[in-house]
Amino acid sequence: DAGVIQSPRHEVTEMGQEVTLRCKPISGHDYLFWYRQTMMRGLELLIYFNNNVPIDDSGMPEDRFSAKMPNASFSTLKIQPSEPRDSAVYFCASTRQGPDTQYFGPGTRLTVL
Amino acid sequence: AQTVTQSQPEMSVQEAETVTLSCTYDTSESDYYLFWYKQPPSRQMILVIRQEAYKQQNATENRFSVNFQKAAKSFSLKISDSQLGDAAMYFCAYRRGRGAQKLVFGQGTRLTINP
């Protein structure tokens, strides 16, 4: 299996620009998670989906962040407009229903100048 | 709300020696899962070991084992025969059972292996 795939691996953008991060979960997994990792806040869950439906978005910082999952094999996390404080590593993870383990993608390192 | 605490920001050990990383958690649930993830410099999050709370036996995976003390809400990771490739950030994580999926992470412990 190819594992969880994220793109891009690195993104550098300027403040005010729109940023779109992409994720392809492991085939057959019906849960998808977006995490953000920063030095100050550690790893925090932003949002997760079950069968393409958002279940818990309480970790989404503000309206500038949005996430979609149009089908079982693709999800996006969008930041518009981006700000320097959004600089972080963003991880996507997936798992199956039940007591299964979450498998993480390689992450996207976002730098907002 | 559940919380996970790793009280050791940094640890170091000599190659081939044994090291123990500490983790405590707070929950009122009886059904839950605990995990240790490793994050090397490549930043990939890699599962090291998992423990189901209903299991009394401590989980082991080759050189990695845990000491799960449910009453004390403690979940430490022991790495035996440390290798240079074990150098990484280690994160303890908690997940409530009964269909819940959200992982709560500790702040991490940076492990250095001295040759």
Side-chain angles (χ1 to χ4, degrees), chain A residues 9-10 31 33 35 37 41-43 45 89 91 95-96 98-102 104-109, chain B residues 33 35 37 39 41-47 50 52 89 91 95 99-107 110:
Chain A
R9 293 293 307 276
H10 304 273
Y31 283 87
F33 305 80
Y35 291 90
Q37 185 179 32
R41 301 176 65 91
L43 270 160
L45 178 67
V89 178
F91 287 100
T95 190
R96 291 175 297 191
D100 206 352
T101 300
Q102 287 186 25
F104 283 74
T108 295
R109 179 176 293 281
Chain B
Y33 302 87
F35 306 84
Y37 279 88
Q39 187 178 39
S42 67
R43 77 168 180 255
Q44 176 77 49
M45 294 288 287
I46 302 165
L47 177 70
R50 59 177 275 167
E52 290 83 353
M89 283 288 289
F91 292 93
R95 202 201 89 187
Q101 294 287 348
K102 181 177 178 177
L103 277 176
V104 178
F105 285 91
Q107 286 297 96
R110 182 175 301 280

Side-chain angles (χ1 to χ4, degrees), chain A residues 42-62:
Chain A
L43 270 160
E44 50 184 346
L45 178 67
L46 300 177
I47 185 171
Y48 78 91
F49 296 82
N50 178 217
N51 292 323
N52 312 336
V53 176
I55 302 300
D56 183 352
D57 66 354
S58 60
M60 294 287 263
E62 49 197 275

Side-chain angles (χ1 to χ4, degrees), chain B residues 3 8 10 23 30 35 62 75 96:
Chain B
T3 59
Q8 306 152 315
E10 297 184 353
C23 172
S30 60
F35 306 84
N62 300 314
F75 183 61
R96 191 164 54 92

Side-chain angles (χ1 to χ4, degrees), chain B:
Chain B
Q2 293 87 8
T3 59
V4 178
T5 302
Q6 294 179 248
S7 59
Q8 306 152 315
E10 297 184 353
M11 292 280 285
S12 64
V13 64
Q14 290 295 126
E15 191 176 3
E17 296 294 309
T18 295
V19 63
T20 299
L21 309 184
S22 301
C23 172
T24 58
Y25 57 95
D26 185 25
T27 183
S28 58
E29 304 287 336
S30 60
D31 180 22
Y32 52 88
Y33 302 87
L34 296 165
F35 306 84
W36 279 98
Y37 279 88
K38 168 185 177 181
Q39 187 178 39
S42 67
R43 77 168 180 255
Q44 176 77 49
M45 294 288 287
I46 302 165
L47 177 70
V48 175
I49 199 165
R50 59 177 275 167
Q51 174 81 41
E52 290 83 353
Y54 65 85
K55 290 185 177 179
Q56 293 187 340
Q57 187 172 7
N58 290 325
T60 62
E61 287 288 343
N62 300 314
R63 298 182 295 108
F64 298 85
S65 61
V66 299
N67 183 4
F68 174 47
Q69 301 289 326
K70 191 171 184 178
K73 297 180 182 176
S74 171
F75 183 61
S76 61
L77 174 69
K78 186 172 81 171
I79 306 174
S80 304
D81 186 24
S82 299
Q83 300 176 1
L84 295 178
D86 296 333
M89 283 288 289
Y90 285 82
F91 292 93
C92 179
Y94 164 97
R95 202 201 89 187
R96 191 164 54 92
R98 298 183 184 276
Q101 294 287 348
K102 181 177 178 177
L103 277 176
V104 178
F105 285 91
Q107 286 297 96
T109 296
R110 182 175 301 280
L111 178 64
T112 301
I113 311 295
N114 301 314

